[in-house]
């Protein structure tokens, strides 16, 4: 059963329940009102009959309808007197004998003037509402009955009408529920079709029905944004796979070439053997490094780290110390007390990648790290960056023409960009006055915590 049918049934059930409850309460109220009116009429009439006005017991004819030839009585009555000794004497009205029980005789024998009781009696084929009223000591009691068939006929018609109205309300509620459910679920149905298309692998040519400010509209808008991100991620993944396949061909081709040369290892001179083994070892290291970079870039392992307060000067110092040990280069760190809410290991990795890039492309001269107000930049005195390369230096696998022969995966600065974006910042690469390059990243201002004093560290 779909959602539309469930909503229609729910509306019908609620409407039917409301109609039935209203009908039951209405019927009970009408029945109690009619019975109370009968009892009041019996009490008033019994007082008049006791005073001698027996003419009110005479039947009053009423015509049932144009198709009826006979006349009947309107609320016909019957009256009889009960002597103190229990004997019964008819007074007027219908020639019907009403049954007298012990309570009635007790009222006639010992009842105080005005004491009375009500009861329901059946004298086939009619039903009567009966009142027995004590006339005082030694005077007996008066028993008066009124035919209630007409009243019950009225209540029966009322019950029939209530049932009919309840049925109409049920049908109307079901129809209204179906129409309303159709209106509510129309966009959900379209959104469901879209999700089914997405589950079949379609992302690019799927149109999400957005619009509206209600929950369905917000759901559609959120799903459209999510779908857009999925499409971008899929396209990015495909580009990464294509670029990785292209970049992996170079070391693999070199390794295959060296492997074919190794088949003639015995024919090589000792110098050629040493160069060949060094070449194989270097290509293997480059391949391992490339695979590690690809795995980290594809899985974004640095995003799993929980954000915490991070002092950027400590991050820069740790990264600089690590690169100093590896390269033996002098690295100067100048930093203020910028503190951000971020991922410490990821930020340290970003600074390390910037420093390794500077060591690779600036083999001589000092390397400086400058941290100011959430802005981290690495400055070198290398060949610098051309205008054409500055805009693409952070792209995956991009290499400038002057760096084609340099080792590396071409992914280090791409990881820096991803880490900067994850921290609400940007990346930049620009020529350094006097020669060299200034490459770095910023952290979002909303993540930057108040800083205190500047500091200077030389390495």
């Amino acid at each position: 059963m779909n959602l539309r049918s469930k909503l229609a049934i729910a509306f019908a059930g609620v409407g039917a329940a409301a109609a039935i409850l209203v009908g039951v309460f209405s019927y009970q109220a009408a029945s109690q009102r009619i019975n109370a009116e009968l009892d009041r009429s019996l009490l008033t009439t019994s007082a008049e009959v006791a005073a001698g006005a027996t003419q009110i017991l005479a039947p009053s004819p009423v015509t049932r309808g144009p198709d009826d030839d006979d006349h009947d009585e309107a609320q016909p009555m019957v009256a009889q007197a009960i002597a103190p000794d229990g004997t019964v004497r008819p007074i007027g009205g219908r020639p019907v004998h009403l049954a007298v029980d012990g309570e009635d005789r007790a009222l006639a024998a010992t009842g105080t003037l005005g004491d009375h009781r009500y009861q329901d009696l059946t004298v086939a084929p009619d039903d009567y509402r009966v009142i027995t009223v004590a006339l005082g000591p030694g005077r007996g009691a008066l028993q008066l009955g009124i035919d209630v068939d007409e009243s019950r006929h009225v209540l029966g018609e009322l019950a029939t009408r209530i049932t009919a109205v309840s049925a109409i309300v049920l049908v109307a509620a079901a129809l209204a529920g179906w129409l309303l459910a159709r209106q509510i679920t129309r966009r959900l149905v379209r959104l469901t079709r879209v999700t089914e298309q997405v589950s079949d692998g379609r992302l690019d040519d799927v149109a999400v029905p957005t619009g509206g400010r209600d929950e369905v509209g917000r759901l559609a808008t959120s799903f459209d944004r999510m779908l857009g991100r999925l499409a971008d991620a899929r396209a990015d993944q495909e580009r990464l796979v294509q670029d990785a396949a292209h970049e992996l061909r170079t070391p693999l081709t070199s390794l295959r070439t060296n492997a074919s040369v190794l088949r003639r290892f015995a024919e090589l001179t000792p110098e050629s053997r040493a160069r060949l083994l060094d070449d194989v070892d270097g290509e293997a290291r480059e391949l391992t490094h490339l695979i590690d970079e690809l795995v980290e870039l594809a899985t974004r392992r640095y995003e799993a780290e929980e954000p915490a307060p991070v002092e950027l000067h400590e991050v820069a110092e740790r990264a600089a110390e690590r690169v100093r040990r590896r390269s033996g280069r002098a690295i100067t760190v100048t930093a203020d007390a910028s503190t951000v809410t971020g991922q410490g290991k990821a930020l340290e990795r970003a600074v390390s990648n910037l420093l390794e890039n500077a060591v690779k492309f600036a083999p001589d001269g000092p390397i400086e790290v400058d941290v100011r107000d959430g802005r981290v930049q690495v400055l070198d005195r290398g060949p610098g960056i051309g205008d054409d390369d500055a805009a693409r230096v952070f792209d995956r696998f991009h290499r400038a023409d002057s760096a084609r022969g340099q080792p590396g995966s071409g992914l280090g600065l791409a990881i820096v960009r991803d880490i900067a974006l994850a921290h609400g910042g940007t990346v930049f690469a620009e020529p350094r006055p006097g020669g060299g390059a200034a490459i770095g990243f910023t952290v979002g201002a909303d993540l930057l915590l108040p800083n205190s004093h500047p500091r200077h560290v030389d390495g």
Side-chain angles (χ1 to χ4, degrees):
M1 185 180 298
N2 57 30
L3 180 59
R4 184 177 300 175
S5 300
K6 290 180 179 179
L7 287 175
I9 292 175
F11 275 104
V14 172
I20 290 173
L21 288 176
V22 171
V24 169
F25 291 143
S26 299
Y27 180 83
Q28 289 180 346
S31 177
Q32 292 173 0
R33 182 67 180 269
I34 290 174
N35 289 333
E37 187 65 25
L38 284 175
D39 291 346
R40 188 190 62 81
S41 177
L42 281 173
L43 186 60
T44 302
T45 305
S46 65
E48 294 177 357
V49 172
T54 58
Q55 70 276 4
I56 65 175
L57 300 175
S60 57
V62 60
T63 302
R64 286 295 186 185
D67 298 331
D68 297 331
D69 296 331
D70 297 332
H71 293 79
D72 202 352
E73 305 158 284
Q75 295 292 108
M77 290 185 171
V78 58
Q80 59 187 22
I82 306 175
D85 59 0
T87 59
V88 178
R89 176 176 59 84
I91 296 177
R94 276 186 178 181
V96 174
H97 175 71
L98 300 176
V100 177
D101 58 14
E103 293 186 26
D104 296 329
R105 291 186 176 90
L107 282 174
T110 62
T112 304
L113 177 63
D115 290 346
H116 62 277
R117 67 181 290 249
Y118 295 100
Q119 58 182 318
D120 294 316
L121 295 178
T122 299
V123 181
D126 301 316
D127 295 325
Y128 292 87
R129 180 68 171 172
V130 179
I131 185 174
T132 303
V133 182
L135 301 178
R139 296 183 60 190
L142 174 66
Q143 194 173 49
L144 181 66
I146 185 171
D147 191 334
V148 296
D149 287 341
E150 183 67 21
S151 299
R152 293 186 177 178
H153 177 70
V154 172
L155 289 175
E157 289 184 351
L158 178 61
T160 301
R161 292 179 182 179
I162 289 175
T163 303
V165 171
S166 298
I168 294 173
V169 170
L170 173 62
V171 175
L175 180 60
W178 187 84
L179 293 175
L180 187 58
R182 180 183 180 185
Q183 181 68 21
I184 294 174
T185 60
R186 183 170 54 186
R187 287 180 293 167
L188 284 176
V189 171
R190 295 201 300 264
L191 191 58
T192 301
R193 295 196 188 102
V194 171
T195 58
E196 290 173 349
Q197 294 175 359
V198 173
S199 64
D200 292 336
R202 297 173 55 187
L203 290 176
D204 300 330
D205 57 344
V206 176
V208 180
T210 58
R213 298 182 179 180
D214 56 1
E215 287 78 2
V216 178
R218 290 162 52 195
L219 174 64
T221 302
S222 299
F223 184 76
D224 186 48
R225 289 199 299 265
M226 181 188 70
L227 196 60
R229 292 182 180 180
L230 284 175
D232 293 341
R234 182 174 179 177
D236 196 32
Q237 183 184 40
E238 291 176 354
R239 287 194 301 271
L240 176 62
V241 171
Q242 293 172 359
D243 293 342
H246 175 75
E247 291 296 324
L248 285 170
R249 289 192 184 97
T250 300
L252 289 176
T253 300
S254 179
L255 286 174
R256 283 198 302 267
T257 301
N258 290 330
S260 64
V261 175
L262 284 174
R263 297 179 182 275
R264 299 181 292 106
F265 190 77
E267 303 174 8
L268 301 177
T269 62
E271 294 80 5
S272 298
R273 293 177 183 177
R275 288 196 302 270
L276 178 60
L277 292 177
D278 291 341
D279 193 18
V280 170
D281 183 61
E283 291 293 340
R285 284 197 303 270
E286 286 294 322
L287 184 60
T288 301
H289 181 65
L290 176 60
I291 292 175
D292 291 340
E293 297 278 15
L294 283 172
V295 170
E296 182 162 355
L297 195 61
T299 59
R300 298 178 181 265
R301 288 180 297 187
Y302 47 80
E303 292 184 356
E305 184 181 358
E306 290 294 331
V310 179
E311 295 184 8
L312 291 181
H313 70 88
E314 294 184 356
V315 168
E317 290 167 4
R318 287 196 298 268
E321 181 60 29
R322 183 183 303 108
V323 176
R324 289 189 197 108
R325 290 197 304 268
R326 292 178 180 176
S327 63
R329 299 285 297 275
I331 299 175
T332 301
V333 178
T334 304
D336 62 7
S338 296
T339 303
V340 300
T341 301
Q343 298 162 321
K345 293 182 179 179
L347 292 171
E348 185 175 340
R349 176 63 185 275
V351 178
S352 296
N353 286 3
L354 291 174
L355 289 171
E356 290 174 356
N357 182 77
V359 169
K360 180 169 60 177
F361 290 102
D364 299 317
I367 297 176
E368 303 174 20
V369 181
D370 183 73
V371 180
R372 288 287 182 275
D373 298 326
R375 175 185 172 97
V376 180
Q377 63 177 343
V378 174
L379 305 99
D380 60 52
R381 290 298 182 184
I385 300 176
D387 294 337
D388 295 337
D389 293 324
R392 300 186 57 196
V393 69
F394 292 96
D395 292 345
R396 294 172 182 174
F397 302 110
H398 173 73
R399 294 187 183 184
D401 294 337
S402 59
R404 295 295 181 184
Q406 295 287 346
S409 63
L411 294 174
L413 295 183
I415 293 177
V416 173
R417 180 189 60 186
D418 285 357
I419 293 174
L421 294 178
H423 287 78
T426 59
V427 291
F428 58 89
E430 52 196 24
R432 183 183 181 185
I439 304 176
F441 63 92
T442 62
V443 178
D446 56 329
L447 302 181
L448 188 63
L449 302 178
N451 52 39
S452 54
H453 53 280
R455 63 182 67 218
H456 180 84
V457 181
D458 294 329

